[in-house]
Amino acid sequence: MPTDPYASRTAPPRFPDGFLWGVSTSAHQIEGAADLREPSVWDTFTAAPGRVKDGSTAAVACDHYHRYREDVALLADLGVNAYRFSVSWPRAASPGGLDFYDRLTDELCAAGVRPVPTLYHWDLPAGLDWLDRDTASRFADHVSRVAARLGDRITRWITLNEPAEHTLLGHALGAHAPGGRLLFDALPAAHHQLLAHGLAVRALRASGAADIGIANSHGPTWPASGDRADIEAADFYDTLLNRLFADPLLLGAYPAGLGDLMPGDVTADLEVISEPLDFYGVNYYAPTRVGAPQGTEIEFGGLTLPAELPFTVLDIEGVPVTDFGWPVVPEGLTELLTGFRDRYGDRLPPVVITENGCSGDGLDDQDRIAYLDGHLRALHRALEAGVDVRGYFVWSLLDNFEWAEGYTRRFGLVHVDFGTLARTPKASYGWYRDFLRTQR
Ligand code: BGC
């Protein structure tokens, strides 16, 4: 059971030499300069009223496109040795669009910060759709173009960000772009993203890249009780969130029953999807407590879950929650990683935590410090338990456009004033910098 993540802190644990220490961002959430790229499905989605909590868009966001030098200086001062950002596909497809990533890459290399780009973080070019199989090969073309331009300076690549959340929020529940409410009919969008990932791995290897992974969102699933109905519902949820996206990548097979819901015969696709990976990226935020369906619609973590789902999601009692309402359970990270090691054995490549962080207001963000400190200790316990972990990235460097929540949820180590665009490091930025000094 969870212990108190806000318990008093002792000296930080020591991670192995060569560990990758970073922060993560994504293009649509920070870049702005929407007029200098092709439109994405998020532009269409946010233009419709009522989709984003504060009615905002990411047209300007943090204006990172114009202020990237200032942001790279913040990274250098922080002392990270790696930076995970994403390449916007709509920008990469625009005339001169790759020039921006070229400049950013040079700036990072000059600052001694290793660039770790994600090639897709939810900003699909308008007009494309993950329900179409052809989008997978279009993605591979995008990846080849980016690798041809940046591959002389970039060695580590991440194909996709969180196909699970993208399918669930964007195609099944309608909370994110493109706004599909297809429930289980959304599964082809998952398959096509996984296929896109596999094709991208092949395209990257063909371009000479040798260090390739994906960033998948995962978390332990806890049954609400020992009752059979709760255990079965939790098992199904675990299959959907965790196994549906890890099994095909690591084992070359969909979990029993789910392969039948995918479009057509997927046998040949699974060969592509299970191309060996050099690392496995895990985005971890919280575990989920799941029970048997109640037959009613429920509100959870900013989402409306329809009554038809074969499970319900419940609060985890007795732990702090972030301002998003997400439970703070660092032990869940140890449980997740040791569980993955037990489930996948030597099919699991070295793990990198590609996102971890929490939302909350204020410059003196002690809750964020407690969150990060607790999760780093939990990560170290996974290392001690024998999980091969090679890196950790905080989500996020900057407060940013938090998708359907607009600018109402702040995940940054650095505060952004969205009126003036001024950046102000928070207490957590100083804390992470001090922590990183202990690891040199
Ligand atoms: C996504 C980020 C998002 C973060 C916080 C992750 O699921 O990759 O884009 O901002 O969670 O919600």
Side-chain angles (χ1 to χ4, degrees):
M1 282 310 286
T3 54
D4 177 9
Y6 291 85
S8 64
R9 293 191 278 275
T10 51
R14 172 87 203 168
F15 287 78
D17 290 344
F19 207 76
L20 216 53
W21 289 111
V23 290
S24 283
T25 63
S26 93
H28 190 77
Q29 293 178 272
I30 65 167
E31 280 181 7
D35 53 332
L36 298 178
R37 59 161 169 77
E38 301 295 318
S40 83
V41 294
W42 270 94
D43 299 314
T44 320
F45 185 77
T46 52
R51 303 287 210 166
V52 176
K53 200 169 172 183
D54 56 3
S56 62
T57 74
V60 176
C62 307
D63 196 30
H64 170 75
Y65 181 89
H66 294 109
R67 294 164 197 255
Y68 70 95
R69 286 203 174 84
E70 184 181 350
D71 295 337
V72 172
L74 283 165
L75 292 167
D77 278 353
L78 184 56
V80 290
N81 57 26
Y83 172 50
R84 174 177 174 237
F85 59 98
S86 81
V87 174
S88 156
W89 184 355
R91 192 177 303 287
S94 321
L98 280 174
D99 294 353
F100 169 67
Y101 300 104
D102 208 64
R103 294 194 291 275
L104 175 62
T105 299
D106 281 346
E107 191 79 8
L108 288 166
C109 292
V113 178
R114 185 198 284 211
V116 184
T118 305
L119 289 150
Y120 180 70
H121 196 128
W122 301 355
D123 48 353
L124 191 69
L128 296 186
D129 190 333
W130 284 115
L131 291 169
D132 297 335
R133 183 182 173 87
D134 185 47
T135 302
S137 45
R138 303 279 290 264
F139 178 65
D141 294 342
H142 155 67
V143 168
S144 296
R145 275 198 311 275
V146 178
R149 181 70 182 266
L150 305 178
D152 57 335
R153 284 151 292 160
I154 293 183
T155 53
R156 186 177 289 249
W157 301 89
I158 294 171
T159 55
L160 304 180
N161 181 70
E162 297 190 353
E165 304 296 330
H166 199 33
T167 305
L168 176 76
L169 302 174
H171 293 85
L173 299 179
H176 280 190
R181 292 177 192 270
L182 300 172
L183 296 183
F184 290 99
D185 290 340
L187 285 174
H191 180 70
H192 296 147
Q193 286 176 80
L194 287 166
L195 178 61
H197 156 84
L199 293 172
V201 173
R202 289 188 173 175
L204 286 166
R205 291 232 161 87
S207 79
D211 210 350
I212 306 165
I214 187 169
N216 264 342
S217 78
H218 290 298
T221 309
W222 292 348
S225 77
D227 291 353
R228 192 182 170 84
D230 286 337
I231 292 173
E232 281 176 5
D235 194 49
F236 183 74
Y237 182 92
D238 178 55
T239 301
L240 269 189
L241 174 72
N242 295 313
R243 296 188 49 203
L244 177 61
F245 294 89
D247 283 15
L249 294 166
L250 301 176
L251 305 178
Y254 279 118
L258 288 178
D260 303 341
L261 300 176
M262 296 304 177
D265 180 356
V266 295
T267 317
D269 292 351
L270 284 163
E271 290 270 312
V272 181
I273 292 169
S274 58
E275 278 291 331
L277 295 175
D278 303 296
F279 66 95
Y280 192 87
V282 170
N283 294 356
Y284 173 75
Y285 288 90
T288 312
R289 185 164 164 252
V290 174
Q294 313 275 302
T296 52
E297 195 175 272
I298 56 162
E299 299 294 324
F300 190 82
L303 286 177
T304 304
L305 303 178
E308 303 94 286
L309 291 177
F311 52 79
T312 192
V313 178
L314 301 154
D315 288 337
I316 295 174
E317 313 283 335
V319 300
V321 289
T322 71
D323 77 349
F324 221 140
W326 298 357
V328 179
V329 187
E331 293 76 9
L333 180 56
T334 322
E335 180 185 326
L336 174 74
L337 296 179
T338 52
F340 255 61
R341 193 261 327 270
D342 295 346
R343 187 184 278 168
Y344 296 109
D346 58 13
R347 307 295 288 271
L348 180 68
V351 170
V352 173
I353 304 303
T354 34
E355 283 182 31
N356 177 236
C358 64
S359 60
D361 286 343
L363 288 175
D364 187 22
D365 53 346
Q366 297 301 320
D367 285 356
R368 180 169 291 105
I369 293 173
Y371 181 100
L372 297 175
D373 179 77
H375 284 78
L376 283 168
R377 290 171 197 277
L379 182 62
H380 197 262
R381 283 194 288 278
L383 261 173
E384 287 173 335
V387 184
D388 184 359
V389 187
R390 304 278 178 94
Y392 174 87
F393 290 70
V394 174
W395 183 270
S396 183
L397 174 67
L398 304 169
D399 291 340
N400 59 47
F401 177 74
E402 176 52 31
W403 308 114
E405 301 286 316
Y407 297 99
T408 66
R409 304 283 176 217
R410 293 177 175 271
F411 278 86
L413 298 176
V414 175
H415 177 271
V416 177
D417 178 323
F418 291 105
T420 64
L421 296 171
R423 276 87 162 128
T424 310
K426 303 179 190 177
S428 58
Y429 175 96
W431 174 85
Y432 193 38
R433 183 176 54 196
D434 291 347
F435 168 81
L436 294 176
R437 284 189 183 132
T438 68
Q439 303 297 314
R440 286 189 195 133

